[in-house]
């Protein structure tokens, strides 16, 4: 067995370099003839796909920004709407309060009027009862005082007339 010599492996000759250059040139010519258009088409297709992805990402980002802006605007409007609803509820409550106060006041006036009517009716009934009581007492007194026979109906008529005249005056 021969001894291993590294110089044999590391040697570079002009012939070897020329052969490698020629073979590389031939490989490039063959590749250009048969594969170069396909390679460029693939690279172009890949670039287009990457550009489409970038464009679609930009478009999605713009749409997301637009949606975010609309959402922010809706949130601002929601605050305004909530404030308007609260103001409307306050106004409605104030109106309802006023309506209840008016109804209560009307009810108080009605009850007061009814009480005055009741008092007036009771007053008339009391005057009527007093008139009858006074009439009976006066009839009895006049019977005893006059001691004469006068028709009881006639006496009662005289007494009623007298009480009516007296009753029209203020008590």
């Amino acid at each position: 067995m021969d001894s291993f010599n590294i110089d044999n492996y590391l040697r570079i000759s002009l012939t070897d370099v020329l052969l490698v250059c020629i073979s590389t040139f031939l490989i490039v010519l063959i590749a250009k003839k048969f594969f170069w258009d396909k390679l460029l088409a693939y690279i172009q297709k890949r670039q287009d796909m990457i550009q489409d992805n970038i464009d679609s990402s930009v478009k999605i980002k713009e749409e997301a920004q637009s949606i975010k802006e609309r959402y922010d605007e809706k949130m601002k409007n929601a605050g305004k709407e909530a404030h308007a609803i609260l103001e409307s509820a306050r106004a409605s409550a104030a109106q309802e309060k006023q309506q209840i106060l008016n109804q209560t006041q009307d009810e108080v006036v009605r009850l007061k009027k009814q009480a005055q009517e009741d008092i007036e009716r009771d007053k008339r009934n009391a005057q009527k009862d007093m008139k009858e009581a006074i009439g009976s007492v006066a009839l009895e007194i006049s019977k005893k005082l006059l001691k004469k026979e006068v028709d009881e109906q006639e006496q009662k008529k005289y007494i009623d007339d007298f009480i009516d005249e007296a009753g029209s005056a203020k008590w």
Side-chain angles (χ1 to χ4, degrees), residues 34-169:
F34 295 108
F35 302 113
W36 193 253
D37 292 336
K38 292 179 183 178
L39 181 64
L40 287 180
Y42 176 76
I43 291 172
Q44 185 62 41
K45 182 179 170 186
R46 183 83 175 144
Q47 282 179 340
D48 291 343
M49 187 176 72
I50 290 170
Q51 188 62 43
D52 287 343
N53 285 342
I54 290 171
D55 292 343
S56 122
S57 296
V58 167
K59 184 178 179 183
I60 289 172
K61 182 179 178 184
E62 289 172 353
E63 288 175 2
Q65 185 65 28
S66 172
I67 291 170
K68 181 184 179 286
E69 288 171 0
R70 284 186 295 200
Y71 173 78
D72 290 342
E73 186 66 29
K74 284 183 181 180
M75 289 304 291
K76 287 178 187 176
N77 290 337
K80 291 176 185 176
E81 287 176 13
H83 182 69
I85 290 170
L86 285 175
E87 288 300 317
S88 173
R90 284 185 186 131
S92 176
Q95 183 180 11
E96 190 173 333
K97 174 186 168 187
Q98 188 61 41
Q99 186 179 14
I100 290 170
L101 286 174
N102 289 342
Q103 288 175 347
T104 304
Q105 193 172 26
D106 291 346
E107 184 68 17
V108 166
V109 167
R110 187 188 63 78
L111 288 174
K112 191 176 181 181
K113 183 178 178 183
Q114 185 179 0
Q116 286 175 344
E117 289 173 357
D118 289 345
I119 289 170
E120 204 51 49
R121 186 179 56 247
D122 289 345
K123 183 179 174 182
R124 283 191 307 269
N125 288 339
Q127 284 177 347
K128 182 181 170 189
D129 291 345
M130 283 178 52
K131 182 178 174 184
E132 289 176 6
I134 291 172
S136 318
V137 169
L139 182 61
E140 288 299 318
I141 291 174
S142 67
K143 277 185 185 178
K144 289 184 181 181
L145 286 177
L146 291 177
K147 296 245 181 173
K148 79 180 204 188
E149 266 187 43
V150 178
D151 185 73
E152 191 173 312
Q153 282 293 357
E154 197 173 320
Q155 282 182 353
K156 188 167 178 140
K157 182 180 175 280
Y158 290 136
I159 292 170
D160 284 341
D161 289 342
F162 173 75
I163 291 173
D164 284 338
E165 288 176 20
S168 59

Side-chain angles (χ1 to χ4, degrees), residues 3-12:
S3 71
F4 179 71
N5 188 358
I6 191 88
D7 291 333
N8 288 337
Y9 289 102
L10 292 179
R11 71 180 162 88
I12 299 177

